[in-house]
Amino acid sequence: MYYPSSFRKRVYRGFLEIKRLIYNSKPIMMAPEMCVIPLEGQGSITATMEGLAKPALPASLKHTRLSLSIILAVLSVSCTSQAEPTSVDSSADQRIISPSFLPGQDPLNSTASWSLVGDLSDEFDQRDSRSSSGLNVDKWTNGPTEYFPWQGSTQCLFSPSTVQVDQVLAGAATITVQQLAEKQGDREYAGGIIRSTATAKPGMYMEARMRANKTQMSSSFWLINVRKYIEEECKRTTELDIQESVGQRGPLAEEWSTHWDQMMHSNVLNRETTEACSPLENARNQNKKLLSQLASEDFQVFGCWWKDPNTFIFFLNGEEVYQLHPKSGEFIFPMFITLSSNVYDWNKYPKDQEGMAGFSEIDRSTAIDWVRTWSVN
């Protein structure tokens, strides 16, 4: 049985509230599968939602489990009784009080804490009437811009019409790829891109809960700077790829790309350097983690702490998986958060193939449940 994103978010927020009540010091993330249902004048019920979240609860809390039927009955009164807001709030939900780290995985010491960065966070559960996509125009763009004129790879054209909020999938942003009605040169497929209007900086932690589409096209979560606006003589592009994957490998896929449909893959890249950057040069450092299932099967939480200009710590579902350190050039420039679906040149479609045949709309959709960015207090 599938539970809508908005329902899961109510459960998650209920969990965060009980976490706040339990811990007087800096919160410790346990697992996003607990809901607290206040009963007016009678205290509250603590419940868990088996099947809605993968991480297990700590053993000390397992005695609080209720059956799913009881939870649903109570939630129908308590967790859904308040009407959803009709307008878009420019700030992120302040009830979300800490990143989704598992117990013992929060890299901060006990004297520091996290603060949600509203301009770089979005639950994607409300449509903005100012845009046809429903994206909050104060936070996001969804096509080539003056800053970023890139239109996609050699087989793909970024189309704003592929991006929707709370429409293809309730409570989520989606990039629904498709075949172009008419080829434009070598471009045969419509992809999409969502990019923040504000920038992330060293010290911030970025995380997204997302699910890949099932086609050959990518599902990516990454950050990049604007090279041409760098005032220093050394102009260069710095790129942080938190998650890269594809829905499936095609018949023309490069041999090295085995398991890219079941992988968390990350990069830090320093590229497009000028002579003024010497001795800095183009360089790339990368790592990967095999997922327990296909990237298109279920939602996963991908995160990265940009700890300092030389240190990136990556997390999968709240657990640290690896660290990367730039081989050349510190990451000092502010970067824009980006989510995209594209055709990788190493996983091209055969020419004139009906690459989207047999895929439903939801199969063709990269789904982003939420994006959250945190700064250190």
Side-chain angles (χ1 to χ4, degrees):
M1 181 179 294
Y2 176 75
Y3 295 91
S5 175
S6 56
F7 177 79
R8 295 195 305 271
K9 287 174 184 174
R10 282 192 290 270
V11 174
Y12 179 70
R13 289 166 183 166
F15 157 72
L16 290 174
E17 177 62 17
I18 192 62
K19 185 178 70 173
R20 184 185 66 79
L21 295 172
I22 292 174
Y23 293 98
N24 292 322
S25 59
K26 182 173 69 69
I28 301 172
M29 183 68 182
M30 292 178 289
E33 53 176 322
M34 185 185 297
C35 182
V36 176
I37 306 102
L39 301 178
E40 198 168 325
Q42 302 179 48
S44 63
I45 294 176
T46 302
T48 63
M49 302 285 299
E50 290 194 27
L52 296 186
K54 297 295 182 184
L57 284 170
S60 61
L61 294 174
K62 289 191 176 180
H63 67 278
T64 63
R65 291 188 180 276
L66 299 178
S67 71
L68 184 56
S69 60
I70 296 176
I71 296 166
L72 291 174
V74 179
L75 283 177
S76 66
V77 176
S78 302
C79 289
T80 63
S81 59
Q82 296 188 12
E84 294 289 337
T86 56
S87 61
V88 174
D89 187 349
S90 61
S91 64
D93 193 330
Q94 294 304 311
R95 288 174 292 177
I96 302 168
I97 58 175
S98 66
S100 53
F101 298 122
L102 290 180
Q105 291 294 312
D106 189 335
L108 294 186
N109 58 45
S110 58
T111 62
S113 61
W114 297 101
S115 178
L116 192 68
V117 181
D119 289 345
L120 291 168
S121 302
D122 205 322
E123 298 300 298
F124 298 120
D125 53 5
Q126 299 176 59
R127 289 182 60 82
D128 187 339
S129 60
R130 296 172 295 174
S131 66
S132 58
S133 67
L135 282 172
N136 185 333
V137 297
D138 296 324
K139 295 184 179 185
W140 309 102
T141 62
N142 69 325
T145 63
E146 178 186 354
Y147 276 21
F148 296 99
W150 182 48
Q151 297 185 15
S153 64
T154 55
Q155 274 197 329
C156 175
L157 181 67
F158 289 145
S159 171
S161 64
T162 62
V163 177
Q164 287 295 328
V165 171
D166 197 32
Q167 184 164 301
V168 177
L169 186 62
T174 51
I175 304 172
T176 305
V177 300
Q178 58 193 27
Q179 195 116 14
L180 289 171
E182 293 185 11
K183 290 175 59 176
Q184 299 193 26
D186 290 331
R187 291 187 163 117
E188 300 183 55
Y189 298 92
I193 191 164
I194 301 170
R195 184 168 275 133
S196 65
T197 58
T199 53
K201 301 172 179 60
M204 289 185 176
Y205 178 74
M206 294 74 60
E207 58 180 348
R209 186 174 187 266
M210 60 186 295
R211 183 183 65 200
N213 68 72
K214 294 188 177 183
T215 76
Q216 281 183 221
M217 294 180 68
S218 68
S219 296
S220 304
F221 172 37
W222 51 294
L223 292 88
I224 193 169
N225 73 318
V226 182
R227 177 179 180 272
K228 67 179 180 179
Y229 291 107
I230 295 175
E231 296 182 358
E232 301 174 13
E233 287 188 19
C234 173
K235 296 185 183 296
R236 57 194 174 96
T237 296
T238 53
E239 180 179 333
L240 163 63
D241 300 325
I242 298 175
Q243 163 60 354
E244 296 180 314
S245 68
V246 296
Q248 62 178 235
R249 295 174 68 248
L252 303 182
E254 299 283 349
E255 291 184 8
W256 55 260
S257 64
T258 304
H259 300 309
W260 263 72
D261 56 356
Q262 191 179 342
M263 184 181 294
M264 176 180 181
H265 182 268
S266 309
N267 293 301
V268 287
L269 302 102
N270 186 66
R271 55 187 177 86
E272 299 179 311
T273 54
T274 60
E275 290 184 7
C277 296
S278 181
L280 297 182
E281 58 185 16
N282 293 343
R284 170 188 181 185
N285 198 5
Q286 61 183 319
N287 210 330
K288 59 187 178 183
K289 170 75 174 179
L290 191 67
L291 303 176
S292 60
Q293 58 190 331
L294 294 176
S296 60
E297 285 300 311
D298 203 354
F299 285 88
Q300 314 265 359
V301 179
F302 303 96
C304 179
W305 184 24
W306 185 0
K307 182 179 179 181
D308 57 50
N310 293 298
T311 308
F312 296 88
I313 306 175
F314 295 82
F315 293 80
L316 172 62
N317 294 323
E319 184 175 11
E320 182 180 337
V321 287
Y322 44 74
Q323 297 188 16
L324 289 177
H325 307 276
K327 290 182 177 179
S328 177
E330 293 185 327
F331 275 54
I332 57 175
F333 307 117
M335 296 194 288
F336 294 82
I337 294 176
T338 309
L339 301 118
S340 62
S341 186
N342 191 25
V343 179
Y344 286 137
D345 286 339
W346 53 262
N347 193 34
K348 285 185 176 181
Y349 286 94
K351 267 192 172 182
D352 301 318
Q353 173 181 306
E354 292 292 328
M356 297 297 158
F359 291 104
S360 67
E361 181 180 57
I362 198 67
D363 289 342
R364 292 184 283 110
S365 298
T366 297
I368 305 103
D369 190 9
W370 46 256
V371 173
R372 296 171 187 159
T373 302
W374 307 84
S375 60
V376 180
N377 291 325

